[in-house]
Amino acid sequence: MTVRIPQPRGGTPTTRTRSRGFGRGEPAGFVVLALLLAAFPLLASESVVNVGVYALIYGLAAIGLTLLMGLAGQVSLGQAAFFAISAYGQAVLVTRYQVPMVVAAIIAVGLAMLAALLVGLPLLRLRGHYLALATLGLGIIVTVAATESEFLGATSGIYGVYKPTFGGRRYDSPAEYFWLLAPVVFLALLLARNIVAGRIGRALGAVNDSEVAAECLGVDTFRLRLQVFVLSAGFAGLAGVAYVHWIGVVNPNAANFPLSVEFLLMSVLGGLGSVWGAIIGAFAVELLDEGLRSLIPTLVPGAEGEVQLVGFGVVLTAVILFVPGGIHEVWRRLLARLQRPAPASDEPAAVGTDVEVDAAPLLAREGRPAAGAPLLQVRDLTRRFGGVTAVNAVSFDVRAGEIFALIGPNGAGKTTCFNMISGVLTPSAGSVRLGDTRIDGRKPHVFARARATRTFQNLQIFRSTTVRGNVSVGRHLRSGAGMLRGALSLPARAEERQIQRSVDELLALTGLAADADRPAADLPFGRQRQLEIARALALEPDLLLLDEPMAGLSGAERHDLVRLLRRLRAGGMAIVLVEHDVEAVLALADRVAVLDDGHLIALGTPDEVRQDPAVLAAYLGVGDDQEEVVASAPGADGEPARKDGA
């Protein structure tokens, strides 16, 4: 996307362009991690190094669970099931079929990922505790299947799995096995970090914040959740391979519930907000495990593993209550206090107001339908909620290069129409066509792929990220890096740099450049409205639906928004506007549709609508005290807009 930025007089705004490179302090963090992993076996006793081996093994599974829970927002209690599937697969291949270890590992991890794909297709349609219970059931199924299968050794399991041998060296001591695993864990952490920092990570973080907003920006939420579910199983499968080669045996206990709880505790204690937390949590939990093994029998003579599981439960509950962000969140807050950034200003940034700039078309693109061509066709659109008809047989067209307003009293059905057009709601009857494509009843990401998007009456910003991060999600469909390219990082860097350049241009255009790195949740309400519009424009839509965009804006911000919408119209974009500021809308729109109690009561130019008796009755008592908001704003020709909206 190429955008000409209006420059304020007297200077050029400075914007920062970021690639997907390492953030501040991350390179040093990886260097420190590498040094610690290399030195740990030299500094710790053999028993502690043995604990470290288990921490690395389980840390791999915890990295996958952190991606699934922290990134995709899906709670799983079945991570041990995929761990066990891979461990059993590896044991069978190397002991019974003499498959080389590395080849067997690839097959075993593939089995775990295939199992995740097959169970994820139905299970990921569930949400919240339903998904957690379903994945818990998966672990029980794997445990029972392994116990009852003679091929898998029943309760005894499969034993005799050899220690790894590379270059004529057998890795059979804790120190040697630790050094063998350390590069694997280091690489897994790096790949997971790259995914989180890239296009896929942004999209999944957005889904976790607001699924409907992410869908309306083109994110196929189910597909992405399935991808990360399968990837998470791959990490668990890799951990299962490392586990079976270390202890030499696998039995049904590898899929039991306590192990899933242990993986969960590692992710939560370390911090779901960062993949780094998985490794930190793994070491913390394994050391805690050793401590509980020694402490519980002293406190409760004759206590078995069930009491130890209670200890894990107490720790997990305490973390959720007192440190919900885990160790990573504590560390982040500490750094924030030490850095003490200067407070950000809530004053809107200056946006250029030159007549020449205000008249220039904005975001025009080749291939966009010609001005005046039918773009959106709504026919007999109806929505019923039980016995209540919220929208009844509404029909209208929207043309390219026009501002079309949809107005009406509260409860008239305006937002319901928006929801049906954008795919958030399925119509009870009627049809919606965008160009030549019928989109009614389709998901919002289909609407977005047809180059259309929307904002929301109730703000749907992505609160867990920054202003720049929000607008970057809007570029999801204008970029293409998938899971593999994102993990490898280098192939996606050029694309990421282009995304950030486009984002910085849009932030400057909408007056948000000064807040680019500010948490979106910290913006004032009016600036959050502007952020939603900037994020929608990042999609480069041909059709833009704005649901009450002027709500919460100051007078100056409204003037800027009016200028922006006129420039977008001049660039050929079609804009459908729902707004309660009736006089402002009538002065801005080319055509107006009026809804009342779910029925279309008027459709025409602003002058025609002003004089319609049905409209006058619906709006009895509405004055013109706010008419100057738009009337005084420069029109597309640089002159103040006339009162009749011409």
Side-chain angles (χ1 to χ4, degrees):
M1 178 183 69
T2 301
V3 181
R4 290 182 64 249
I5 305 302
Q7 305 293 352
R9 293 174 180 170
T12 301
T14 58
T15 58
R16 285 171 284 180
T17 300
R18 288 187 176 181
S19 68
R20 63 173 285 117
F22 286 104
R24 183 184 304 172
E26 277 195 297
F30 274 100
V31 171
V32 170
L33 176 63
L35 293 175
L36 288 175
L37 291 177
F40 185 78
L42 300 175
L43 301 176
S45 65
E46 184 172 347
S47 61
V48 174
V49 173
N50 189 57
V51 173
V53 169
Y54 283 101
L56 291 182
I57 293 172
Y58 294 159
L60 286 169
I63 290 174
L65 193 57
T66 298
L67 288 174
L68 183 62
M69 293 180 62
L71 193 62
Q74 304 297 289
V75 179
S76 173
L77 296 177
Q79 191 77 337
F82 304 117
F83 177 89
I85 289 171
S86 183
Y88 268 105
Q90 183 76 5
V92 168
L93 290 171
V94 299
T95 61
R96 297 181 183 174
Y97 300 102
Q98 288 72 51
V99 177
M101 174 185 165
V102 174
V103 176
I106 295 172
I107 297 173
V109 172
L111 284 174
M113 297 176 75
L114 177 61
L117 176 63
L118 295 177
V119 302
L121 286 170
L123 292 191
L124 289 180
R125 301 184 188 279
L126 303 174
R127 292 288 186 271
H129 60 278
Y130 295 108
L131 176 62
L133 290 173
T135 54
L136 174 61
L138 174 64
I140 295 172
I141 291 171
V142 172
T143 300
V144 172
T147 302
E148 298 298 324
S149 172
E150 293 297 329
F151 179 74
L152 298 179
T155 56
S156 299
I158 301 173
Y159 48 87
V161 181
Y162 56 81
K163 291 290 192 295
T165 302
F166 291 105
R169 183 182 184 88
R170 191 163 183 259
Y171 293 81
D172 55 358
S173 71
E176 289 174 324
Y177 205 76
F178 187 96
W179 277 320
L180 180 65
L181 283 179
V184 177
V185 174
F186 185 91
L187 182 60
L189 183 66
L190 180 61
L191 295 178
R193 175 264 165 207
N194 289 342
I195 291 171
V196 171
R199 174 177 177 265
I200 297 298
R202 282 195 302 268
L204 282 166
V207 171
N208 203 8
D209 283 339
S210 173
E211 182 171 344
V212 65
E215 281 267 359
C216 288
L217 294 170
V219 178
D220 187 341
T221 57
F222 177 78
R223 180 184 177 188
L224 281 182
R225 279 174 166 154
L226 182 61
Q227 286 179 338
V228 79
F229 187 71
V230 172
L231 179 65
S232 174
F235 278 103
L238 188 58
V241 169
Y243 171 84
V244 76
H245 277 285
W246 175 238
I247 67 171
V249 62
V250 58
N251 58 43
N253 287 333
N256 64 13
F257 178 62
L259 187 56
S260 284
V261 171
E262 196 167 342
F263 292 153
L264 178 65
L265 181 56
M266 290 173 183
S267 297
V268 174
L269 180 60
L272 292 173
S274 170
V275 291
W276 288 87
I279 300 301
I280 297 170
F283 275 89
V285 169
E286 285 307 298
L287 292 172
L288 175 66
D289 186 16
E290 284 299 305
L292 290 176
R293 288 178 191 274
S294 303
L295 180 63
I296 287 178
T298 302
L299 298 177
V300 185
E304 299 292 338
E306 289 77 6
V307 179
Q308 185 175 335
L309 183 60
V310 171
F312 278 146
V314 171
V315 173
L316 180 59
T317 303
V319 170
I320 292 173
L321 287 176
F322 302 110
V323 195
I327 297 172
H328 170 261
E329 179 67 15
V330 173
W331 175 251
R332 191 188 66 81
R333 289 181 181 178
L334 179 61
L335 288 181
R337 288 185 180 181
L338 293 176
Q339 292 172 357
R340 293 182 181 177
S345 171
D346 288 340
E347 293 298 320
V351 178
T353 57
D354 289 348
V355 170
E356 180 181 352
V357 169
D358 288 333
L362 185 63
L363 298 185
R365 71 172 187 86
E366 293 183 6
R368 177 170 285 165
L375 185 61
L376 176 68
Q377 300 173 21
V378 176
R379 294 291 179 269
D380 298 321
L381 200 61
T382 302
R383 175 67 190 193
R384 303 182 187 90
F385 296 95
V388 177
T389 302
V391 176
N392 190 13
V394 170
S395 299
F396 57 83
D397 293 339
V398 178
R399 304 161 190 158
E402 78 166 343
I403 297 177
F404 183 93
L406 191 61
I407 64 174
N410 286 330
K414 305 181 297 296
T415 296
T416 302
C417 274
F418 261 33
N419 288 340
M420 288 188 286
I421 292 169
S422 61
V424 176
L425 282 177
T426 300
S428 302
S431 65
V432 179
R433 287 186 176 274
L434 192 54
D436 296 328
T437 305
R438 183 167 177 173
I439 60 172
D440 52 279
R442 307 288 297 276
K443 292 290 186 181
H445 70 264
V446 177
F447 177 71
R449 289 180 187 277
R451 284 192 176 269
T453 190
R454 63 169 295 183
T455 63
F456 297 86
Q457 179 182 11
N458 298 318
L459 284 171
Q460 297 289 334
I461 62 168
F462 305 133
R463 302 182 66 84
S464 67
T465 187
T466 62
V467 170
R468 176 183 276 111
N470 268 262
V471 181
S472 295
V473 177
R475 299 295 296 168
H476 185 76
L477 289 181
R478 307 283 82 86
S479 52
M483 194 78 74
L484 181 59
R485 284 178 60 195
L488 297 178
S489 180
L490 287 175
R493 282 191 176 181
E495 180 180 275
E496 283 293 314
R497 285 193 292 268
Q498 179 58 44
I499 289 173
Q500 295 309 320
R501 281 194 293 269
S502 299
V503 167
D504 287 341
E505 289 173 352
L506 280 169
L507 291 176
L509 178 69
T510 52
L512 292 168
D515 293 316
D517 296 314
R518 187 176 178 183
D522 291 349
L523 290 179
F525 183 83
R527 306 292 287 284
Q528 291 182 359
R529 283 279 182 206
Q530 292 174 294
L531 175 57
E532 267 204 332
I533 295 172
R535 187 180 67 189
L537 292 178
L539 183 69
E540 298 181 44
D542 292 337
L543 174 66
L544 177 62
L545 309 184
L546 300 176
D547 199 348
E548 299 192 27
M550 295 185 183
L553 299 187
S554 66
E557 290 169 339
R558 288 187 175 207
H559 281 289
D560 289 340
L561 177 59
V562 168
R563 282 192 293 269
L564 176 64
L565 296 183
R566 284 178 171 149
R567 292 185 63 195
L568 293 171
R569 174 179 60 186
M573 189 179 297
I575 300 168
V576 182
L577 186 69
V578 166
E579 181 58 56
H580 282 293
D581 190 343
V582 178
E583 289 300 330
V585 169
L586 292 178
L588 175 63
D590 300 299
R591 291 189 302 133
V592 180
V594 184
L595 294 181
D596 187 25
D597 197 24
H599 294 80
L600 182 66
I601 62 172
L603 175 61
T605 65
D607 278 346
E608 292 170 345
V609 168
R610 285 177 190 273
Q611 300 169 15
D612 191 290
V615 176
L616 293 176
Y619 279 101
L620 185 64
V622 173
D624 59 356
D625 56 325
Q626 296 180 343
E627 189 170 356
E628 293 183 359
V629 170
V630 172
S632 62
D637 57 358
E639 297 296 327
R642 296 195 299 275
K643 192 172 182 178
D644 61 3

